[in-house]
Amino acid sequence: MGITEDIAADYLASLAALAWQVELGADEALCESPQSAYDLPQKSAAPKPVATAAPPVVPANQTAASQTALAAATRSAAACPDLIGLDAAASQFDYCDLRKSARRAVTGLGHERAAILVLCDPPNWDAEKEGAAMDRGELSLFAKIFGAIGHSLDAPSPQIALHLAPVLPWPLRGTPESHSAALAMMRPFVLRRIALVAPKVVVVMGHQTLASVLQTSGLTRARGAWHALADVDMGGLAASPQIRVMQDLASIKKSPEAKRAAWQDALAIKAALRR
């Protein structure tokens, strides 16, 4: 008696073996009968040539359209005298296709001249439904992180206040290429928010936010260091703020390592504000 005979003769054992294979990923029969890998002929170890794909061709009219949209966003953002006007202009910006499929626009929250401005990734579906930059679970964790260093969204004093806003007022939809285009298009509104709030510290929270604000990728490399913006016109209100990169709250919730890193970032922000 062998394994094959024992399983074939037992219905329950056969069913359990089948379930085990499905769990391993073998959920499709490709041959009429099972095959042993040891009985198959040896394949040549010579590497196969890899075809190099041609780079995608970007239509000239698409580039021109992107430039037109960016110029329009720059003019619209620069004309906003306050955050209320900025939120309205961003939410009504017709060049961005995300606006057409969104249920509502998410605006900024917190003190208009807060010492800490937190910019976060575009809202998810739950956050959009509630009209908030983050869903309830993320907002709760957000409050705990910054509350631990004495700052909150409802603080009346700018010195201990927070201002929170997403880099896009709508959830992301479509392809990664369309995401990048939307982030680049709406960047002038993000920069104008920084100028209007004039914070001492800007917290860049998440991958999309990093791409929008600092126009780079690699959040792990950027985290744990201070950055600066050269293209933000503060209008004489204050010097360009320091920028601290943090993980997005969804990642912080899942990982103990990310929680420790977030606490280190919070302490660094607190120390920077003291200085």
Side-chain angles (χ1 to χ4, degrees):
M1 296 292 286
I3 296 177
T4 302
E5 291 78 5
D6 291 341
I7 293 177
D10 188 332
Y11 171 78
L12 293 179
S14 300
L15 185 62
L18 179 60
W20 176 68
Q21 293 182 65
V22 171
E23 185 176 353
L24 293 178
D27 57 356
E28 183 178 2
L30 301 179
C31 303
E32 294 183 357
S33 60
Q35 291 189 1
S36 172
Y38 296 102
D39 298 334
L40 297 176
Q42 295 293 326
K43 295 182 179 180
S44 173
K48 295 181 179 180
V50 179
T52 304
V57 178
V58 179
N61 60 344
Q62 182 177 343
T63 302
S66 300
Q67 294 175 349
T68 300
L70 180 60
T74 302
R75 292 192 300 269
S76 178
C80 297
D82 52 36
L83 293 178
I84 295 177
L86 183 69
D87 283 330
S91 63
Q92 298 169 12
F93 191 66
D94 287 331
Y95 285 88
C96 190
D97 291 338
L98 293 175
R99 176 179 180 269
K100 302 173 184 177
S101 56
R103 291 175 292 186
R104 66 173 72 186
V106 175
T107 60
L109 177 66
H111 202 289
E112 61 182 7
R113 295 300 300 275
I116 301 176
L117 167 61
V118 182
L119 298 170
C120 63
D121 285 351
N124 58 31
W125 311 117
D126 292 335
E128 182 200 27
K129 185 177 179 179
E130 297 173 2
M134 301 173 179
D135 60 42
R136 294 182 182 180
E138 292 174 348
L139 279 175
S140 176
L141 180 58
F142 175 88
K144 291 178 181 178
I145 292 174
F146 289 97
I149 59 172
H151 290 258
S152 66
L153 287 169
D154 55 359
S157 171
Q159 287 76 18
I160 58 173
L162 297 170
H163 185 87
L164 171 65
V167 290
L168 287 176
W170 319 281
L172 286 171
R173 296 175 174 87
T175 64
E177 291 76 14
S178 66
H179 297 173
S180 299
L183 290 168
M185 181 189 309
M186 300 297 289
R187 186 172 185 263
F189 294 101
V190 177
L191 300 184
R192 183 59 177 163
R193 186 177 300 274
I194 297 175
L196 288 173
V197 177
K200 295 180 180 179
V201 172
V202 173
V203 178
V204 169
M205 188 171 278
H207 293 274
Q208 283 88 20
T209 311
L210 179 65
S212 171
V213 179
L214 295 180
Q215 296 182 305
T216 186
S217 59
L219 191 144
T220 303
R221 295 192 304 270
R223 215 224 102 244
W226 290 100
H227 306 266
L229 275 177
D231 56 352
V232 177
D233 181 10
M234 301 303 294
L237 298 176
S240 181
Q242 299 182 80
I243 297 177
R244 189 79 180 188
V245 178
M246 294 181 66
Q247 284 275 15
D248 61 282
L249 284 170
S251 300
I252 294 174
K253 287 171 61 178
K254 298 177 182 178
S255 168
E257 292 78 9
K259 290 179 181 178
R260 285 194 292 269
W263 178 237
Q264 294 170 359
D265 291 327
L267 293 178
I269 292 168
K270 182 178 181 179
L273 290 174
R274 286 178 175 176
R275 292 193 299 268

